[in-house]
Structure formats: structure tokens, C-alpha cells
Amino acid sequence: MAMDMSLPGPDYIRVLAVLPKGDRQWLVDAAQALLERRDWPSEDLDSGLPAEFKLDQSFRAVALGPTSPSEFSFGGDVDRIALADALKPENSRYFIIRGFVKARGFQMLPQNIDYLALYSDPSTATLLTCGTDSAVGSIVDVRNKLGAAKLAAQSTPLDGAGVAVAMVDSGIFLQHLTRINLLTGVDEASYTRPRPAYPLPPRQMGDPPILDGVNSWTPPRVATPPGLHRIGHGTMCAYNVLAVAPKATLLDYPSLIARAPGDHTVPATVGAAIQAYALLIAFWIKNLVEAGPYRALVANNSWGIFHPCEEDASPGQPGRFIDNPSHPFHILVWILAFLGADIVFAAGNGGLPCPAPPFLHLTTGSIRGANAYAEVLTVAGCDVNDSRVGYSSQGPAVTMFPLPTPDKPDLAAYTHFLGSQVFGPREPDGGTSTACSIGAGCVAALRSHPSISSAAIPPAALFDALRNTARQVAAGGPAWNRDYGYGIIDPVAAARVLGVPIP
């Protein structure tokens, strides 16, 4: 696609916009181009848009279905087949696009420009802490605490087989996980340095693939293909999913390295997550309709919003993201969960007594944005001694008025241990990013059992089982608390409650 070099200057802000299709066939074409992962021609496609709105053609478009965000209902009786059909670009009544509007002042995003409803597109980032404390234990301790070997030893192993785990993150460097040179195919585990202290078990003949590249996504202007992205946060999270669910198949969705055009200081925005979720919805509908190879889809989200200053909309504005349940991204999260996908988010690293610096010491309501949605499992962090890590964000979450504020975090999982060695041989896998991926691995392991399919046990019921069986560590018995949620995740206990006879 030709790059638009006439992007607005620094007096403009980046926004998302929702508009009705009307007679704008180019919206259908742009949305179809996104789903087909192809270029989209750029000539005269913004004709008819208000002059004050400068279209970002690289974003293409996202089909939102029959209802605008302001009219969307998060409850009620919805027919899945009808919803899936309404989300096809040719049938969708509303679409999301991205563009630029002139700034009117700090957090003064206009609510509308003519028929365009405007929403903020704040920057997003990984939730890896910069804590300097040494690692506490290792992934071996984590697996022992979770009973991972017991799960895998069942007659029908709970090991993630048949489950797709979408890593909505910074990208995966597969060679670090497999130690197989991606260019030569040579197994380099015996002589690579640093030698992995805790390598993942290799896949055997007949095992599911470790990465599904065909159903992964490469954002526009990202040169590296799935599985070949720079080693870092996404590889760490992928390692920890596979440490608990060793036969799950990864989907690489590196939304955190997608860059908005003309803004090279922002590595990613909510807009990239919107594109990722639109693609995941289409992938999952296709898998369900065609009886595809996956019995479940888990989405791992070890990212979030550090501070309200990332917002371009002031409190109370309809276009705001961090505390607005009607933001378009929430619609897509709700749809994916409604279709049976399990969505796991990190709580954040803004807790007392040692919040990560990007939170700017604002520890109240540091579980915000998508991390606070009722449809997702929000995971706090503790070490292998069951002690809460001091940076893990504490509840209650930000209020999503007018919806009731759910108890967040939902539960805690392990972090700050030696595992992937992505950042060095002695550097821990840390942050609630790691806790989130451990939690997602537990969900993937459970979903690999036939009796725990999303058709039989939808995501909300599975999350209830995880909350109800979480191991209590705080005084006061089985109740929610702001540090651990409902307790530390216990997949063995959850499996038993869900009907798996584990002795």
C-alpha cells in the first residue's frame, strides 16, 4: 500500500471513529482487506468524510456489526449465528476507522464531527516491571505449585493440545522457545549460550504445532513474519503459557509493535488491539463454522494503560477509553468472549508499595481500561512463596459507569521467577505480564479436556470455577480482597470441580 506522506502535524491528535456504512462501499473493501491481510488501495477513499477528519488509510477499517457503541447492549439474548453473519464486512452497518483531528486542548477530544463518533486511541505498553529484586524460585517451582505434571498425566491430558493461544503482545521469537535454528532447521540447544536452564519440552512427532503462522497476524509496516520478531516481552509470555500448557499452539499477534503512522514515539495504541481482535473474531468464527482444528481459543493480554494522562478525552466524555464501557474495543472484547474465547489480562504493575515508574505513583484505580472489563480474567501477581509482589496492581478497578464495577483482580498467579531467560540468565520473568501468561496457560490446559469445551462451559462459567477454587492465602476466608482477588489460581482444583476425576 502506498504510504501517505501528508500526515497531519503535531497539532493533531490520533483518534478512532465509528460511522455508519451508508453508501460508502470503501468501508467494506477496507474491512475485507484487513481480514484478508492484504494491501488496500488508497486513491480517493476518504471522499465524503468531514474535512476536519484526516483519514489514516493504513488502519483500513473494522466491521463492528449492526449496532453503534453508544447503543450496544452487553446483555440480553443474542443469536450467535446472526451475530457472526452481521460482523461480515458486507453486512455490517457500522465500521471503525482511524484518523487525526485538530487538538483543541489537553484531553479535549470532540465528541463528534458530523456523523463520526470519536473515541480515544491511547498508547498501550507491556506490563513488565522494572523491579530490581532477584528472582524467587524458578518455573520448576511454579509447575509444582500448579500441579502441571498431574494435569498432563491424566488419561486425557490437560496439556493444551487442541487449544490456540493468541499472544496479543510484542511478537514471538520462536527459536528461543524451541532452540531450533529457524533458517537451517538445526537443533542448537546443546551449544547455544546462554544454555537454557529451564528449556521447554520439545514437540514430538504427532504433537500439535507450536506456532500457527497461517492464522497469526503481521501488522502493517512490520517487516518480520510470525515467530521471527525480536526477542523480548512477547517471547517471555509465550514461554510461560507453554510451561503450563506445553502442547498448546501459539498465534502470534504482535499488536504492541504496530506503529501509528507519523508517530514514532508510540509503539502501539488501542487501535492496533482493535485490529487484532477483529482478526481473532473472524478466525474464531471460521474455526467454529468449519469445525476447525481448535477446540478452544485463549487470548493472552499482558499489556495495559499506565496512566490517565495517556488519554485524549477528559473524564465523562463518551469517547474515553480507560473508564468507558462503550468504547469500541470493549464491544469487540465482548463479542469474542460471547463466541466462546477465554480472554486473560494482566492486572498491571501500579500497586503499593513499589509501583512501576510509568504509573507515576497513581496507584488508585490502576486496573483500568480493558484490564477492568467484566468479561476478562484479570490476573495479579505473587511469588512462588505465595507472597504478593509489591508492584502488582490492587483493587478496586476503575469504575466503568454505568456498568457495575467488577471485583478486580479476579485472582493471582505466579511471577518473578527464573524461567525464559529472555532478558538474561539471571533475570526473572516478572510483572503481572508473567502472571497473566501463567494464568492463560492454566486456562489453556483446562480447555484441552473435551468435557471443558466452551460450548459446555462458557468463559464466564470457567472463570467462576477458577475464582471459586482459587487457593486462599489472605485472612478472612474465601472472599475477594484487593491484593489476590479470590486467591491464587489452582487449575487442579478447578478441573475437579469441572468434572475431571483427578485423584
Side-chain angles (χ1 to χ4, degrees):
M1 186 176 101
M3 183 65 184
D4 186 357
M5 302 305 293
S6 59
L7 295 170
D11 54 338
Y12 280 76
I13 57 175
R14 182 186 58 254
V15 298
L16 299 163
V18 174
L19 72 164
K21 177 172 63 178
D23 59 357
R24 303 173 187 89
Q25 178 60 33
W26 62 266
L27 287 170
V28 177
D29 299 337
Q32 196 63 47
L34 174 67
L35 297 183
E36 295 173 0
R37 297 164 170 81
R38 59 174 171 82
D39 290 344
W40 177 50
S42 58
E43 55 275 1
D44 299 326
L45 293 177
D46 58 340
S47 58
L49 292 173
E52 305 96 310
F53 181 86
K54 308 300 181 183
L55 179 67
D56 171 11
Q57 295 176 2
S58 72
F59 184 80
R60 303 182 179 111
V62 171
L64 196 56
T67 311
S68 68
S70 61
E71 299 171 344
F72 191 85
S73 172
F74 294 95
D77 187 18
V78 180
D79 183 271
R80 290 191 182 190
I81 296 176
L83 177 61
D85 190 61
L87 288 168
K88 294 177 180 177
E90 63 269 26
N91 297 334
S92 182
R93 291 182 57 198
Y94 290 90
F95 290 81
I96 308 170
I97 58 176
R98 185 166 69 181
F100 301 86
V101 299
K102 196 141 190 173
R104 301 180 182 178
F106 177 65
Q107 291 191 337
M108 291 183 64
L109 175 69
Q111 181 176 344
N112 296 88
I113 295 180
D114 292 345
Y115 52 83
L116 299 179
L118 302 185
Y119 296 86
S120 67
D121 184 20
S123 59
T124 59
T126 65
L127 290 173
L128 180 69
T129 183
C130 60
T132 56
D133 290 349
S134 299
V136 180
S138 72
I139 190 61
V140 175
D141 301 302
V142 173
R143 284 177 50 83
N144 289 339
K145 298 274 286 192
L146 294 173
K150 182 177 289 189
L151 291 172
Q154 301 309 302
S155 57
T156 301
L158 284 76
D159 56 7
V163 179
V165 182
M167 305 302 299
V168 185
D169 211 283
S170 64
I172 300 167
F173 183 57
L174 193 62
Q175 185 171 325
H176 185 79
L177 304 179
T178 63
R179 302 293 164 166
I180 295 174
N181 188 298
L182 298 175
L183 298 177
T184 66
V186 174
D187 187 342
E188 299 180 345
S190 61
Y191 54 86
T192 52
R193 296 292 184 273
R195 182 166 293 175
Y198 309 101
L200 295 170
R203 299 279 167 130
Q204 304 299 322
M205 186 70 69
D207 284 348
I210 191 171
L211 176 72
D212 181 348
V214 172
N215 288 305
S216 295
W217 172 56
T218 300
R221 296 181 304 282
V222 171
T224 44
L228 274 171
H229 301 297
R230 181 176 296 179
I231 190 171
H233 185 270
T235 306
M236 177 195 75
C237 292
Y239 170 93
N240 285 296
V241 167
L242 295 177
V244 186
K247 293 188 179 179
T249 297
L250 303 174
L251 306 178
D252 198 354
Y253 274 69
S255 66
L256 295 181
I257 61 172
R259 290 182 180 273
D263 192 350
H264 300 291
T265 64
V266 178
T269 70
V270 170
I274 282 178
Q275 291 177 308
Y277 269 70
L279 289 163
L280 284 172
I281 288 169
F283 154 73
W284 193 234
I285 289 174
K286 185 174 186 289
N287 184 84
L288 295 174
V289 170
E290 299 180 1
Y294 301 109
R295 61 165 54 99
L297 171 64
V298 180
N300 183 91
N301 301 268
S302 294
W303 57 271
I305 305 294
F306 287 133
H307 194 275
C309 68
E310 306 279 0
E311 277 280 5
D312 286 316
S314 60
Q317 278 192 281
R320 197 166 159 90
F321 172 72
I322 63 171
D323 51 10
N324 172 27
S326 295
H327 192 278
F329 183 59
H330 190 197
I331 311 300
L332 297 178
V333 168
W334 185 92
I335 290 171
L336 188 58
F338 177 76
L339 293 172
D342 304 298
I343 304 172
V344 187
F345 265 86
N349 299 333
L352 291 170
C354 46
F359 282 82
L360 303 180
H361 297 282
L362 181 61
T363 57
T364 302
S366 64
I367 304 174
R368 56 176 67 95
N371 312 62
Y373 291 163
E375 298 82 12
V376 312
L377 187 73
T378 305
V379 184
C382 65
D383 65 24
V384 297
N385 295 322
D386 297 347
S387 298
R388 173 186 163 267
V389 290
Y391 49 74
S392 180
S393 285
Q394 297 155 295
V398 70
T399 300
M400 289 277 181
F401 184 80
L403 299 182
T405 301
D407 292 331
K408 298 288 182 178
D410 291 287
L411 39 73
Y414 298 107
T415 186
H416 218 83
F417 52 81
L418 289 176
S420 71
Q421 299 178 292
V422 159
F423 301 106
R426 298 178 182 85
E427 293 300 316
D429 291 353
T432 55
S433 287
T434 295
C436 176
S437 52
I438 291 293
C442 291
V443 172
L446 292 169
R447 284 297 193 197
S448 58
H449 196 280
S451 67
I452 311 181
S453 69
S454 60
I457 301 171
L462 177 62
F463 294 168
D464 278 343
L466 287 168
R467 286 186 286 260
N468 292 337
T469 58
R471 190 159 47 81
Q472 297 296 312
V473 292
W480 179 85
N481 70 79
R482 65 194 299 260
D483 293 333
Y484 293 87
Y486 287 91
I488 299 174
I489 194 167
D490 187 341
V492 172
R496 288 173 178 147
V497 164
L498 293 169
V500 181
I502 300 178

